[in-house]
Amino acid sequence: MLDSQRFAAFDFKGDVFGGVTTAIISLPLALAFGVASGAGAEAGLWGAIMVGFFAALFGGSTTLISEPTGPMTVIMTAVLTSMMAEYPEHGMAMAFTVVMMAGAFQMLLGWLKLGKYVTLMPYSVVSGFMSGIGVILIILQLSPLLGSPAPPGGVGGTLMAIPETLANLQWRELLLGVLTLAVLFFFPKQYRKYVPAQLVALVAITLISVILFDSDSIRRIGEIPSGLPSLVLPHFSADMFTKMVIDALVLGTLGCIDTLLTAVIGDSLTRTEHDSDKELRGQGLANMISGLFGALPGAGATMGTVTNIQVGARSPISGIVRALVLALVVLVAGGLTEPIPMAVLAGIAVYVGFNILDWSFIQRAHKVSLSGMAIMYGVMLLTVFVDLIAAVGLGVFISNIIIIEKLSREQTRHVKAISDSDNNNVPLTDEERAMLDQAQGKVLFFYLSGPMIFSVSKAISRQHASIDEYDVMILDLSDVPMIDVTVGLALENAIKDANDVNCEVLLLCPNERTREQLDKFHVMSFIQEGNDCETREQALQKALVCIEAKD
């Protein structure tokens, strides 16, 4: 499973520096995501360590940095909340069982070589889904930002609790949260390449909180256990099994999309090509191990990956170094996290949610496509207020319907029927047009071009509706590279209708693939022996002979 070729481009300085730099970036994010999920800061840190280490070791990309991400954290928060509400005693174990199942699902997709299909969905759907995730992350952090524990009930519960949260507003924690956001949004760009804004905000605002406020006046993380995490044995419940499977599919699918989109970005920067299936297997294994140790699931992280490449990393060693640096922090310096205020981590999570929003598409969606804009906002609202699966499923369905409708209009123009040479829509030579004129309108030249899918079957039916007016129909498929079953049946009906009114059918189909498809659909069986032509000229000559014989 380990691919040594991925390590061939190892660069000591670039990979080590990349690993240390991305570890610094990951630290505040891992803490924030761990707290935001409800599993605790240690779950976020160990998720960054384990997912990062095993995905780098067994994945299919050279420079991808994997860790808990905003979208994955949002899903994990919902899973953990629902499991704990139903089973307070075993809910935590069940939630991490879902993580293991999601990892197994990712590995299955990799083994089935389905990696290249994961990201094949309309951009408007991806944009709406990711923006919805960003909105959810921001909403879920409103209560911690205002100084109150996160209420139960996810987005709905948080919004319903806003009046109570405002009534119990903690000004100290709000101040720290606002200062954190101020640092993150206004930290000078020229310094961000030397030190991440998240780390500056974490350290600076924590120091301010220690100086201005005593330990008991605001909520803080507390000391993270310095030992290795405990094993979480898989736990199932019969009445929750279906929900666990669905949650695992959602979590695993989102992880696949997040990872492979980030891998594509990494490929564009390094001019390399990742192995999608191997990457999914590596990510799946990493998430299974992470869930087994009670750590958050993860995926490819865009910010960490881009930074990793920019500082000179060229092999998976950078991801391994990053995981080891974070492990050293947890095992040796875990006490340093004790004074970090919860409001600071909430501010960091809000900033991440803000950046997840697809601002570039939101700003220009109305100019690009009204249907695309409607789908994007529809998916975003469904993601926030209804259900993630429903949002993506409905978005993909509607997008495909719109695309099929547009393709239908375009492909209908490639279904043409003429009976005289005055019509220039069919590519005939002068000699062939002269022969068509000789037929004196008794030959219907039926010409199809381009890929023929089910949406053009009605156009085929319309074009041969008056077949009883002709003596011969030439069915020209010379420019058709493929047909589907529906079109095959439409052609079969056209041939049957022609045979019923004693109209001779001549077939022109030199394309081997199209001919094989016609054979599979048994269309060739309705063509009389000797009526299978090789050229248009031959078909027209035979048509003239048939007309003379009938006269």
Side-chain angles (χ1 to χ4, degrees):
M1 193 173 181
L2 188 63
D3 184 5
S4 59
Q5 291 183 351
R6 296 170 53 240
F7 296 83
F10 170 65
D11 178 270
F12 181 81
K13 180 181 177 182
D15 287 331
V16 171
F17 188 44
V20 173
T21 304
T22 51
I24 294 171
I25 293 174
S26 295
L27 180 62
L29 293 176
L31 292 170
F33 290 148
V35 172
S37 70
E42 63 274 15
L45 281 174
W46 281 110
I49 294 166
M50 292 186 175
V51 174
F53 181 84
F54 290 103
L57 195 61
F58 298 108
S61 177
T62 53
T63 53
L64 190 72
I65 294 297
S66 300
E67 61 186 354
T69 63
M72 295 290 278
T73 301
V74 167
I75 306 299
M76 186 60 190
T77 303
V79 171
L80 189 57
T81 301
S82 63
M83 294 300 169
M84 290 296 291
E86 292 287 337
Y87 294 91
E89 185 177 352
H90 300 292
M92 188 72 73
M94 293 171 68
F96 288 112
T97 302
V98 169
V99 175
M100 297 179 223
M101 293 166 67
F105 173 64
Q106 289 179 311
M107 293 187 73
L108 178 63
L109 289 181
W111 279 324
L112 295 176
K113 300 188 181 300
L114 298 177
K116 58 180 176 289
Y117 301 110
V118 170
T119 55
L120 289 180
M121 63 175 62
Y123 184 77
S124 55
V125 176
V126 175
S127 175
F129 178 64
M130 297 306 290
S131 294
I133 291 290
V135 172
I136 292 174
L137 190 55
I138 292 171
I139 292 174
L140 293 180
Q141 296 309 303
L142 290 178
S143 293
L145 197 65
L146 298 174
S148 300
V155 171
T158 301
L159 294 177
M160 293 293 291
I162 284 180
E164 183 181 350
T165 302
L166 291 174
N168 297 318
L169 178 64
Q170 302 296 318
W171 291 102
R172 295 183 181 88
E173 299 204 29
L174 177 60
L175 173 64
L176 295 175
V178 170
L179 288 175
T180 301
L181 288 170
V183 171
L184 292 171
F185 279 108
F186 300 110
F187 190 67
K189 289 185 178 180
Q190 62 265 32
Y191 300 124
R192 289 178 185 259
K193 60 183 177 181
Y194 302 112
V195 57
Q198 290 90 341
L199 186 64
V200 173
L202 184 72
V203 174
I205 309 305
T206 298
L207 287 175
I208 291 173
S209 74
V210 171
I211 294 171
L212 296 181
F213 311 119
D214 58 67
S215 299
D216 297 329
S217 61
I218 58 174
R219 296 174 306 124
R220 302 180 187 271
I221 288 182
E223 186 174 355
I224 294 176
S226 58
L228 292 171
S230 302
L231 282 174
V232 177
L233 296 178
H235 188 90
F236 297 93
S237 170
D239 55 337
M240 293 289 285
F241 183 74
T242 301
K243 178 172 175 50
M244 291 174 71
V245 170
I246 294 174
D247 287 340
L249 293 178
V250 173
L251 191 62
T253 302
L254 178 59
C256 293
I257 295 172
D258 217 356
T259 295
L260 296 184
L261 289 177
T262 303
V264 170
I265 294 172
D267 288 349
S268 67
L269 294 174
T270 59
R271 302 293 187 270
T272 58
E273 187 173 348
H274 73 281
D275 184 333
S276 297
D277 299 317
K278 188 169 177 49
E279 186 61 53
L280 292 187
R281 294 196 295 271
Q283 292 283 338
L285 177 63
N287 280 318
M288 287 184 70
I289 295 173
S290 186
L292 187 62
F293 284 93
L296 291 190
T302 303
M303 184 171 65
T305 299
V306 172
T307 303
N308 190 42
I309 294 168
Q310 288 176 341
V311 298
R314 291 295 177 266
S315 81
I317 293 296
S318 61
I320 295 172
V321 169
R322 169 194 159 279
L324 294 177
V325 170
L326 287 174
L328 189 65
V329 170
V330 176
L331 296 174
V332 177
L336 295 177
T337 63
E338 184 175 356
I340 297 175
M342 292 290 198
V344 172
L345 298 179
I348 292 174
V350 167
Y351 179 71
V352 172
F354 185 84
N355 285 325
I356 290 175
L357 292 170
D358 190 0
W359 293 109
S360 62
F361 191 69
I362 290 173
Q363 291 170 353
R364 58 185 173 175
H366 62 286
K367 299 178 182 178
V368 177
S369 166
L370 289 177
S371 61
M373 180 186 70
I375 290 171
M376 189 272 289
Y377 282 115
V379 171
M380 182 172 72
L381 292 173
L382 286 172
T383 299
V384 175
F385 295 109
V386 182
D387 180 73
L388 296 165
I389 292 181
V392 174
L394 193 59
V396 170
F397 176 76
I398 294 175
S399 295
N400 287 339
I401 291 296
I402 293 173
I403 291 170
I404 289 170
E405 193 272 334
K406 290 179 179 178
L407 284 174
S408 298
R409 287 202 306 265
E410 181 63 29
Q411 289 184 317
T412 297
R413 285 184 269 179
H414 295 280
V415 179
K416 302 163 185 173
I418 64 172
S419 58
D420 59 69
S421 63
D422 292 336
N423 194 315
N424 295 317
N425 290 331
V426 177
L428 296 175
T429 65
D430 291 340
E431 293 180 1
E432 291 166 350
R433 289 184 182 279
M435 295 172 68
L436 187 59
D437 282 338
Q438 290 179 33
Q440 298 180 341
K442 295 182 178 181
V443 171
L444 180 66
F445 196 96
F446 204 179
Y447 173 73
L448 283 71
S449 63
M452 292 287 111
I453 60 174
F454 63 91
S455 55
V456 300
S457 58
K458 287 185 178 180
I460 293 173
S461 300
R462 284 196 301 269
Q463 292 290 4
H464 80 272
S466 57
I467 191 65
D468 56 341
E469 300 175 7
Y470 303 95
D471 291 339
V472 180
M473 179 176 73
I474 298 175
L475 191 56
D476 185 357
L477 306 180
S478 54
D479 294 325
V480 176
M482 61 84 65
I483 60 174
D484 75 352
V485 177
T486 308
V487 173
L489 292 174
L491 292 176
E492 178 184 315
N493 290 332
I495 296 169
K496 284 181 177 179
D497 290 345
N499 291 336
D500 289 343
V501 295
N502 199 28
C503 177
E504 197 79 13
V505 180
L506 305 177
L507 178 66
L508 179 61
C509 184
N511 187 295
E512 288 299 325
R513 182 183 176 189
T514 306
R515 181 177 288 275
E516 289 175 4
Q517 290 171 321
L518 291 175
D519 278 330
K520 289 179 180 178
F521 304 150
H522 302 293
V523 175
M524 297 297 294
S525 62
F526 296 97
I527 302 296
Q528 294 181 13
E529 188 176 351
N531 285 359
D532 190 0
C533 305
E534 296 182 358
T535 65
R536 288 174 182 151
E537 184 177 354
Q538 180 187 356
L540 287 165
Q541 287 175 345
K542 190 169 184 62
L544 292 174
V545 171
C546 290
I547 292 172
E548 290 179 3
K550 288 187 177 183
D551 290 342

